[in-house]
Amino acid sequence: MNTTPQDFNELEARITAEYPSLSRRLQQTARFLLDHPQEVAFATVAKLAEQAGVTPSTLIRFANNFGFTGFSEMQQLFRTRLVDELPNYTERIRAVRSATGETPDSTQLLWEFADANREALEQLPGRIDPRHLEQALDIFEQAQAIHVMGARRSFVVASYMTYALHHIDKRSFLVNGLGGMYGEQVKAIGSRDALMVVSFSPYAQESRDVADGARERGIPVVVITDSNLSPLARLADVVLVVHEAEVKSFRGLTASLCLAQTLAISLGVRQDKARDRPPSGDSAGQA
């Protein structure tokens, strides 16, 4: 039984392999989708059906044929491909305008980003396993110091986490690779320290290397990422999966920042409770 394709390259290979066995309408759909991936990433089903010369139900049937529950699920692979290939925001904006024929104004974008981020925040508590949250806090509480790594887009979350840890009086260090010294910074992680890595698709190689280096040394690793299939997941002791909002191929960080804030403040609460506990050996009857 074929599994659902996990990325665009896998989908493209499946479509190519199964093309001869598809019906004439599905072959017509396949040619259009692979010939116009940029338009497919952003346009509505109705508009794509019109451009492809098929009915909207044909597009949905095509997606179902390859294991997707609906067209939007398959469309996400086209969007991810475009995001990975167009890291420059100016190019991405141009691609969106070209594909949709729209030029949204600032108020429209504000509403779209606000709505998408609100939905991501509402779903966050249900997506995070409470056991994993507590396991991450156990690691952080026991660590003498926490080293935090996040490259490129993830740097915002990593830098905030380091800031928050400083403010709860937890020794922390931002692994920023200044001067290209990621390797040296990993070697500076003590044997009783912990590492937190934040990394989202397409998963910066620097983040993989830092996590791999810590893993080899037996350093506990907590990862915030966007999928259990992330290459960072296999290197982690604890994985916290976050699904961020996305509007017109621009992904947010609201949910990840919320999770980082939760981790930091929860750790602060634990530390404060620990300070309130009486020293070992004390008893209520002692004067």
Side-chain angles (χ1 to χ4, degrees):
M1 181 178 178
N2 290 327
T3 58
T4 304
Q6 298 299 306
D7 57 40
F8 179 81
N9 289 334
E10 187 179 343
L11 174 62
E12 184 178 37
R14 282 275 304 278
I15 293 175
T16 302
E18 298 180 25
Y19 180 83
S21 63
L22 298 176
S23 67
R24 183 174 62 84
R25 281 298 186 194
L26 292 186
Q27 286 183 342
Q28 180 179 344
T29 302
R31 288 195 300 271
F32 175 81
L33 295 181
L34 295 186
D35 288 346
H36 305 85
Q38 185 167 300
E39 286 81 353
V40 175
F42 302 112
T44 64
V45 171
K47 183 172 182 179
L48 290 173
E50 181 182 354
Q51 292 177 331
V54 298
T55 63
S57 62
T58 301
L59 290 178
I60 297 170
R61 184 157 51 92
F62 183 91
N64 294 156
N65 187 78
F66 289 92
F68 298 99
T69 57
F71 183 80
S72 60
E73 186 182 1
M74 183 181 72
Q75 188 178 39
Q76 185 60 44
L77 301 189
F78 286 81
R79 288 179 179 170
T80 300
R81 165 192 171 273
L82 192 63
V83 170
D84 292 346
E85 290 186 358
L86 297 177
N88 182 281
Y89 275 21
T90 301
E91 293 176 358
R92 210 178 299 172
I93 290 170
R94 187 174 297 116
V96 171
R97 292 185 60 205
S98 174
T100 64
E102 299 175 356
T103 303
D105 61 30
S106 56
T107 302
Q108 178 185 342
L109 285 173
L110 178 59
W111 275 103
E112 289 186 29
F113 279 116
D115 285 343
N117 280 291
R118 184 182 66 248
E119 183 177 349
L121 282 175
E122 289 174 348
Q123 294 175 355
L124 178 63
R127 294 185 185 278
I128 299 296
D129 189 325
R131 295 170 301 174
H132 295 169
L133 198 61
E134 294 303 316
Q135 288 167 5
L137 289 169
D138 289 342
I139 289 173
F140 291 159
E141 186 175 24
Q142 294 163 15
Q144 289 189 340
I146 302 173
H147 302 253
V148 189
M149 162 72 178
R152 302 169 198 171
R153 186 169 71 100
S154 306
F155 181 80
V156 174
V157 183
S159 60
Y160 169 76
M161 184 67 177
T162 308
Y163 164 84
L165 290 173
H166 279 305
H167 280 268
I168 62 165
D169 297 323
K170 184 71 178 185
R171 290 182 66 229
S172 59
F173 301 91
L174 181 62
V175 181
N176 54 20
L178 187 64
M181 294 191 293
Y182 283 115
E184 288 81 355
Q185 289 180 324
V186 173
K187 291 178 182 177
I189 300 176
S191 59
R192 298 178 64 185
D193 293 348
L195 172 69
M196 173 176 154
V197 179
V198 186
S199 183
F200 307 114
S201 179
Y203 313 112
Q205 186 61 47
E206 302 95 319
S207 298
R208 302 189 205 186
D209 293 342
V210 167
D212 195 41
R215 184 72 175 179
E216 288 179 358
R217 294 184 52 212
I219 306 296
V221 179
V222 174
V223 167
I224 294 178
T225 189
D226 54 7
S227 171
N228 282 313
L229 299 176
S230 160
L232 277 297
R234 64 179 177 81
L235 301 172
D237 293 274
V238 179
V239 181
L240 300 172
V241 176
V242 177
H243 291 180
E244 287 290 2
E246 180 176 322
V247 176
K248 294 179 171 60
S249 85
F250 295 95
R251 291 172 292 189
L253 288 170
T254 304
S256 300
L257 286 166
C258 180
L259 178 58
Q261 185 176 41
T262 301
L263 287 167
I265 302 306
S266 297
L267 180 60
V269 171
R270 281 193 178 202
Q271 292 180 158
D272 193 57
K273 287 175 63 178
R275 284 191 287 266
D276 288 342
R277 286 196 295 264
S280 177
D282 285 2
S283 67
Q286 290 179 318

